[in-house]
Amino acid sequence: MKTFGLKASLLLMAILFFTDFLNVEGQVCHPSGKIRGKKPPPGECNQGNDSDCCKEGKLYTTYKCSPTVSSYTKAYLTLNGFEKDEDGGAPSECDNQYHSDDTPVVALSTGWYNKGSRCLNNITITANGRSVVAMVVDECDSTMGCDSDHDYQPPCANNIVDASRAVWKALGVPQDQWGGLDITWTNA
């Protein structure tokens, strides 16, 4: 009887260990650290589209991950300029190009961007009773910020879909309400 109990216990422990090991992707995404804000040099932080500038000494949370992608991934939609001299800063990471804000394009938080694996692929964004297909062209960096490479803006949260004006228009959101909206998205 003791031998059967020991074998069953070992088998159960092995199953639990491997189940936990295989479900790492489904785990909750926790912060990976913090960075200390630096005051931007005069005129170096573009506050277009109500973008924030880093504040001297403030601690900003960083993430290397994003919530698990599902058929209806919950996210927070923000507004970004993808044209030259807009708040998006440099050309898009995926193709080293600027993009018209009249084209539905997005930047995804670092974990969802996944080292560029979603570059130039479409996602479907749903909110406000409507859906729009948008192309992933950039990363909304969740790991770094508050420097010249990031236009002296804080790191993105881990659940951001940073979208062009075209996405907001297609979702039928009144322009005076652009800036932040709970959405769902999925691979198109």
Side-chain angles (χ1 to χ4, degrees):
M1 183 78 167
K2 284 187 175 183
T3 305
F4 176 75
L6 180 60
K7 287 180 182 176
S9 295
L10 289 173
L11 179 63
L12 181 60
M13 284 177 39
I15 290 171
L16 289 173
F17 173 76
F18 286 112
T19 302
D20 187 50
F21 178 75
L22 294 173
N23 284 328
V24 168
E25 186 179 336
Q27 299 294 321
V28 174
C29 174
H30 296 288
S32 58
K34 293 196 179 281
I35 61 169
R36 188 169 303 279
K38 301 173 195 166
K39 184 178 180 183
E44 292 296 313
C45 180
N46 186 333
Q47 291 184 284
N49 296 319
D50 292 325
S51 293
D52 291 329
C53 293
C54 291
K55 306 230 181 327
E56 181 75 35
K58 181 176 179 180
L59 291 176
Y60 295 95
T61 302
T62 59
Y63 294 88
K64 293 180 181 174
C65 56
S66 291
T68 303
V69 175
S70 67
S71 57
Y72 294 99
T73 306
K74 292 181 179 182
Y76 193 69
L77 190 72
T78 54
L79 179 61
N80 188 44
F82 291 86
E83 295 178 357
K84 189 171 175 59
D85 298 325
E86 292 211 17
D87 63 313
S92 295
E93 191 80 21
C94 293
D95 58 6
N96 201 35
Q97 301 289 315
Y98 291 102
H99 295 270
S100 169
D101 289 326
D102 295 324
T103 303
V105 293
V106 298
L108 297 178
S109 291
T110 296
W112 290 333
Y113 182 74
N114 195 19
K115 299 178 184 163
S117 69
R118 288 196 168 83
C119 273
L120 307 181
N121 290 316
N122 291 329
I123 64 170
T124 302
I125 300 165
T126 304
N128 205 32
R130 296 185 185 187
S131 293
V132 60
V133 174
M135 182 183 291
V136 176
V137 297
D138 209 351
E139 174 185 17
C140 192
D141 199 338
S142 304
T143 64
M144 299 173 62
C146 299
D147 56 19
S148 60
D149 287 347
H150 297 90
D151 204 24
Y152 294 96
Q153 296 174 6
C156 286
N158 68 340
N159 65 336
I160 297 297
V161 175
D162 208 12
S164 65
R165 290 188 304 255
V167 171
W168 287 86
K169 286 178 187 175
L171 291 174
V173 179
Q175 190 168 352
D176 65 345
Q177 295 176 23
W178 290 2
L181 180 68
D182 290 323
I183 63 161
T184 59
W185 71 273
T186 189
N187 294 310

